[in-house]
Amino acid sequence: MVVAHQLTPPSSRQEKLRDIELPIIDLMAERSEVSKLIVKASENFGFFKVINHGVPQQVIKAMEDESYGFFSKPASQKQRAGPTNPYGYGCKNIGINGDYGEVEYLLLHTNPLSIFQRSNTISNDPTLFRWAVNGYMEAVRELACEILELMAEGLRVSDTSVFSNFLRDSDSDSLLRLNHYPPLQLLQLHNTRNNRIGFGEHTDPQILTILRSNDVPGLQISPHEDGSWVPVSPHPSTAFCVNVGDALQALTNGRFLSVRHRAMVNSCRTRMSMAYFGAPATNTRIACSPELLSPHKTNLYRPFTWDEYKKATYSRKLGDTRLHFFRVQSDHDDLSE
Ligand code: GA4
């Protein structure tokens, strides 16, 4: 069965504040139908959820246990895995540009050697930690590749591995981020009107993000032109939330949307999320396939390397998406701005 709840544009302010029911796509349904739904969701919202995704429950549980285990340690022990450079343990400061949020996180490069080197400062049982992280990363990378292949099929690109090959590259710059949003205390809830930023607004610079969270709400997306924020419901609990990153927007010549999102701390319960950011190798050239271009749809972006784009985004504040600087007809050609 293909379940695809359609998101209709909100007509009143009241409606905008309601939780969004993102399309929920059953990956076990008929393949061509699934690829059509994925393309449609990527074009309309840049976000969708997948169920029957094939990632074993015990693989998810092992990773979640390690994550809860790490965040429940005393601060002094967690700090052994920090500060972020940009990888490692970070608390309240996001990235290196002074962005601040009510979140603590662990940012890991998916390279097994990097995991090996960091695991000693993260866990009292580094072997178990590595086993859980590597198992989870392999499973979500496979899921991301499957989704990227369905996207290519839906776009009718002849080489259907054109996007997934980036993530399968042994030098892929993919990341895993574990986020822990501690609950607000009652006093804070009164003071802040239940509206504190956990992770500020941004788009993901990579190709595709696969997000897993517990059942505590917090994710909001801004899919409308008026810039309003819409909460995403955390259900069903068996789903992964998938979103298009900036690099995939460029690879599809703007057909797929990399949509702004943020995470709020507005609950009395702890929110935990685990995000896999599928990225190419640093020297990879990002350019739209000629099959997606036509005399009426010429290149929107100039080709760039992943390294070039990553440096441009990492040197900025969270909300400063850089993709428009790479447009062919940009008013802002000066990257140093
Ligand atoms: C957003 C997506 C990923 O979490 C991340 C983030 C990165 C970081 O936390 O170091 C960035 C942010 C993210 C985009 C702009 C820059 C870089 C913080 C920041 C201010 C790991 C990523 O790849 O880009």
Side-chain angles (χ1 to χ4, degrees):
M1 182 186 53
V2 179
V3 193
H5 300 286
Q6 196 52 55
L7 177 71
T8 41
S11 54
S12 71
R13 186 153 176 76
Q14 190 57 34
E15 272 175 294
K16 277 178 203 161
L17 296 174
R18 262 200 241 136
D19 279 19
I20 241 176
E21 283 307 326
L22 289 177
I24 299 173
I25 301 174
D26 181 348
L27 293 186
M28 296 270 267
E30 203 274 314
R31 194 165 176 95
S32 64
E33 196 54 33
V34 174
S35 68
K36 270 191 222 150
L37 289 170
I38 289 182
V39 167
K40 199 170 163 199
S42 306
E43 289 176 335
N44 292 344
F45 325 120
F47 269 82
F48 55 94
K49 292 180 184 178
V50 291
I51 54 171
N52 286 323
H53 39 68
V55 180
Q57 194 49 44
Q58 64 270 28
V59 170
I60 300 172
K61 166 108 178 30
M63 187 67 252
E64 279 173 350
D65 287 350
E66 287 302 313
S67 195
Y68 280 118
F70 175 76
F71 291 117
S72 62
K73 285 178 162 195
S76 59
Q77 283 188 35
K78 288 185 277 197
Q79 275 151 10
R80 287 181 58 218
T84 48
N85 64 348
Y87 310 120
Y89 172 69
C91 184
K92 302 201 180 210
N93 293 309
I94 301 162
I96 52 168
N97 304 307
D99 293 292
Y100 188 85
E102 293 297 323
V103 63
E104 56 176 345
Y105 63 92
L106 197 52
L107 184 59
L108 302 171
H109 197 282
T110 58
N111 177 317
L113 180 62
S114 166
I115 302 286
F116 181 86
Q117 288 164 340
R118 289 197 171 267
S119 55
N120 292 323
T121 61
I122 296 172
S123 173
N124 303 336
D125 188 345
T127 312
L128 182 63
F129 180 80
R130 289 198 290 268
W131 172 80
V133 174
N134 289 329
Y136 183 77
M137 274 180 335
E138 274 166 35
V140 284
R141 185 187 57 220
E142 261 326 293
L143 172 61
C145 288
E146 172 70 0
I147 293 170
L148 289 169
E149 282 158 22
L150 285 158
M151 285 173 165
E153 286 170 35
L155 289 170
R156 302 194 180 285
V157 179
S158 46
D159 175 5
T160 54
S161 326
V162 65
F163 306 133
S164 58
N165 279 343
F166 292 128
L167 274 54
R168 291 194 203 279
D169 189 326
S170 55
D171 289 328
S172 147
D173 189 33
S174 300
L175 309 177
L176 180 72
R177 180 183 204 115
L178 309 175
N179 291 313
H180 178 241
Y181 303 91
L184 286 182
Q185 302 305 314
L186 269 180
L187 186 66
Q188 287 175 293
L189 278 173
H190 287 304
N191 290 343
T192 60
R193 295 178 174 204
N194 203 9
N195 198 19
R196 281 273 274 266
I197 302 273
F199 200 110
E201 68 172 274
H202 64 282
T203 58
D204 294 341
Q206 292 83 0
I207 293 178
L208 199 72
T209 304
I210 309 280
L211 180 82
R212 172 86 194 180
S213 64
N214 65 358
D215 61 351
V216 176
L219 178 64
Q220 298 187 342
I221 68 174
S222 179
H224 307 297
E225 277 176 11
D226 64 4
S228 58
W229 288 100
V230 201
V232 173
S233 94
H235 299 290
S237 59
T238 47
F240 278 97
C241 185
V242 181
N243 67 278
V244 171
D246 297 346
L248 188 55
Q249 178 169 324
L251 286 165
T252 57
N253 205 31
R255 203 165 144 183
F256 288 0
L257 301 176
S258 174
V259 165
R260 275 175 189 265
H261 51 283
R262 64 183 184 182
M264 307 301 287
V265 181
N266 56 3
S267 163
C268 294
R269 290 170 60 213
T270 293
R271 176 175 158 86
M272 259 270 309
S273 69
M274 313 194 291
Y276 166 84
F277 301 100
T282 40
N283 59 0
T284 304
R285 187 172 175 271
I286 312 264
C288 177
S289 155
E291 285 171 278
L292 295 175
L293 301 173
S294 72
H296 307 291
K297 288 184 196 150
T298 55
N299 247 321
L300 281 182
Y301 306 99
R302 68 168 175 82
F304 51 87
T305 64
W306 169 241
D307 191 38
E308 197 183 346
Y309 190 64
K310 193 175 175 185
K311 279 191 180 129
T313 49
Y314 274 56
S315 64
R316 310 298 297 193
K317 302 274 288 178
L318 259 183
D320 285 350
T321 299
R322 306 317 288 162
L323 199 52
H324 58 280
F325 279 87
F326 292 80
R327 282 187 76 118
V328 171
Q329 283 163 339
S330 168
D331 301 334
H332 314 269
D333 280 328
D334 181 8
L335 283 178
S336 62
E337 199 191 294

